Amino acid sequence: MKTITSSLSRRLLRHLSTTATTTVAAAPSSTISVSKAKWKLQKEHDPDKALQIYSSLSDHYTSPVSSRYAQELTVQRLAKARRFDDIETLIESSKKNPKITQEPYFCTLIRCYGKAGMFDHALKLYDQMEELGTSRSCLSFNALLTACNNCRLFDRVPQLFDEMPERYRFKPDKISYGILIRAYCEKGEPEMGLKILGEMEDNGVEVTAVSFTTVLDALYKKGNVDEAEKIWGEMVDKEGCVVDVAAWNVRIANAHGGSPEDVKGLIEEMSGSGLKPDTISYNYLLTCYCRNDRMDEAMKLYEELEASGFRPKAVTYRTLIHYLCKNEDYGRGYDVFKRSVFHHKIPDFATLKVLVEGMVKKNLKKDAKGLIRTVKKKFPPNVLNAWKKVEVELGLVSDETAVGDDVSEVAR
């Protein structure tokens, strides 16, 4: 796809292409650390600015692991803007770096193409490994399979699994099998995933908790509850099979559409097995309370979790605010929102829009204005117009300096 590239992007991409072949003795003063770049990229949604941040990395080719996340975030920003030519230029320029002979570095480039939905480019790059002097193992093969899954080409994964190890003479490892199982489960074929689990045992390949959990989750989602519970019993009793918190959470997720007592029972059972429930486990219980219109118990659980040191997730606040608004309890909804600001886990626009509308209906206009001022500082630029429209519709348009609490200040 042909795209229009700004002059800024062209300069930045030329800079990246040039620095890829140059070793810099001392980083210029305008450069930033990898950790700071990742922090800035998480908040930056403009593709040109994302490129600018990435080009400022002081040492982004030294450690493939530390720079991988920054590079993937940059590629995702470009992909969202459909700047596929820029992505290709960025990744192809990276092939000139001396680190290209190191397989972990190579894998990052393959994964980036997968994140951008450009699987043909990922496959072409994988086939160039010998040409570029890079050794090939399961590491790069797994990156290729992951890229295929990320592009939602689930039918291609079994084909690659059969072809590539034979062509390049290596054996798939437990991670390779896990990615294959995920492809079948994403296709809605958990039965094939079960078959692969059996093949792993026959071939002496360790059945990991991740592979087992993937199949279990797919069986529950397909409605094969009896089969899922049967597999659970077999795996728990099997020697050497580690059932972790993620696997328990799959069972809890299946139960949380029922009664809170069932969910609490599973959490207690998990604790009794020696595992500590995590935030996800308790989020399911909290959601179950909300669905059953037991908001006081949901709020009590939330307060206990926060007091005990659990770090809430954005979904925690989104769920509470959604159901509080459903019960027209906008005052408590606003209190929960302030806690979400404090923890930097602000819910999405749709959830907060309902809250603001309810607050205005209950004549809490001052607080509604404070909420909007806060989210306009926190949300990406593409959402600002939507909030401005809400302000106009609800009669909340006012000078930014007007009297009223700024929630981000109150939350502190």
Side-chain angles (χ1 to χ4, degrees), residues 1-216:
M1 175 179 290
K2 203 70 178 173
T3 57
I4 300 174
T5 307
S6 70
S7 58
L8 170 63
S9 295
R10 287 196 294 269
R11 289 198 303 273
L12 293 172
L13 289 166
R14 280 199 300 270
H15 166 71
L16 289 167
S17 179
T18 302
T19 55
T21 56
T22 306
T23 301
V24 182
S29 58
S30 60
T31 62
I32 58 176
S33 68
V34 173
S35 59
K36 186 173 182 180
K38 290 191 291 185
W39 178 79
K40 293 179 75 172
L41 283 166
Q42 286 174 334
K43 299 175 178 296
E44 185 53 69
H45 294 264
D46 181 274
D48 288 320
K49 291 179 180 177
L51 261 179
Q52 191 170 18
I53 293 167
Y54 184 69
S55 70
S56 300
L57 279 171
S58 61
D59 221 359
H60 62 279
Y61 291 121
T62 299
S63 170
V65 175
S66 63
S67 66
R68 168 185 163 188
Y69 187 57
Q71 190 173 37
E72 287 183 355
L73 270 176
T74 305
V75 167
Q76 286 174 337
R77 299 296 182 258
L78 291 168
K80 192 169 183 179
R82 305 188 68 78
R83 300 262 288 271
F84 300 113
D85 288 349
D86 287 353
I87 292 170
E88 184 175 6
T89 300
L90 175 62
I91 296 176
E92 290 301 306
S93 70
S94 300
K95 288 161 59 174
K96 299 176 184 178
N97 191 280
K99 297 285 185 182
I100 195 64
T101 58
Q102 298 180 12
E103 196 175 12
Y105 178 89
F106 206 105
C107 290
T108 297
L109 305 184
I110 293 174
R111 278 190 293 264
C112 280
Y113 271 137
K115 292 281 187 181
M118 302 168 69
F119 181 70
D120 288 342
H121 289 72
L123 182 58
K124 180 181 177 182
L125 185 62
Y126 179 77
D127 287 333
Q128 293 174 340
M129 292 186 73
E130 288 93 347
E131 177 186 330
L132 295 169
T134 316
S135 60
R136 181 184 276 106
S137 73
C138 279
L139 194 66
S140 50
F141 177 57
N142 294 341
L144 180 68
L145 293 181
T146 299
C148 196
N149 269 348
N150 285 341
C151 294
R152 305 194 67 77
L153 300 173
F154 305 122
D155 288 326
R156 293 282 297 274
V157 174
Q159 178 187 349
L160 293 168
F161 195 91
D162 290 337
E163 290 179 3
M164 294 303 177
E166 185 176 346
R167 180 187 302 176
Y168 294 115
R169 302 183 184 282
F170 62 84
K171 287 186 176 181
D173 62 9
K174 60 185 179 182
I175 298 174
S176 314
Y177 278 99
I179 300 169
L180 174 63
I181 287 171
R182 179 164 296 281
Y184 279 123
C185 289
E186 290 284 357
K187 284 175 62 180
E189 299 178 8
E191 300 80 11
M192 284 300 299
L194 273 174
K195 182 181 176 182
I196 300 301
L197 287 178
E199 289 181 12
M200 292 173 73
E201 291 185 320
D202 293 342
N203 295 334
V205 179
E206 177 191 349
V207 175
T208 65
V210 173
S211 297
F212 162 59
T213 303
T214 301
V215 174
L216 189 73

Side-chain angles (χ1 to χ4, degrees), residues 324-386:
L324 287 168
C325 288
K326 194 173 180 182
N327 289 311
E328 298 192 355
D329 193 348
Y330 303 109
R332 278 207 293 184
Y334 181 57
D335 289 338
V336 172
F337 167 73
K338 287 190 284 188
R339 296 306 297 166
S340 78
V341 175
F342 178 79
H343 287 290
H344 306 288
K345 300 289 183 182
I346 299 177
D348 59 285
F349 169 79
T351 301
L352 296 183
K353 180 174 180 288
V354 174
L355 175 58
V356 168
E357 289 170 343
M359 291 168 70
V360 171
K361 187 170 70 173
K362 293 291 185 179
N363 201 29
L364 299 172
K365 283 192 174 184
K366 178 183 173 183
D367 289 337
K369 289 178 181 181
L371 186 155
I372 290 178
R373 273 197 301 278
T374 298
V375 295
K376 282 169 72 175
K377 295 176 183 177
K378 304 286 186 179
F379 276 61
N382 60 317
V383 185
L384 292 183
N385 287 336

Side-chain angles (χ1 to χ4, degrees), residues 11 271 299 331:
R11 289 198 303 273
S271 299
M299 290 299 297

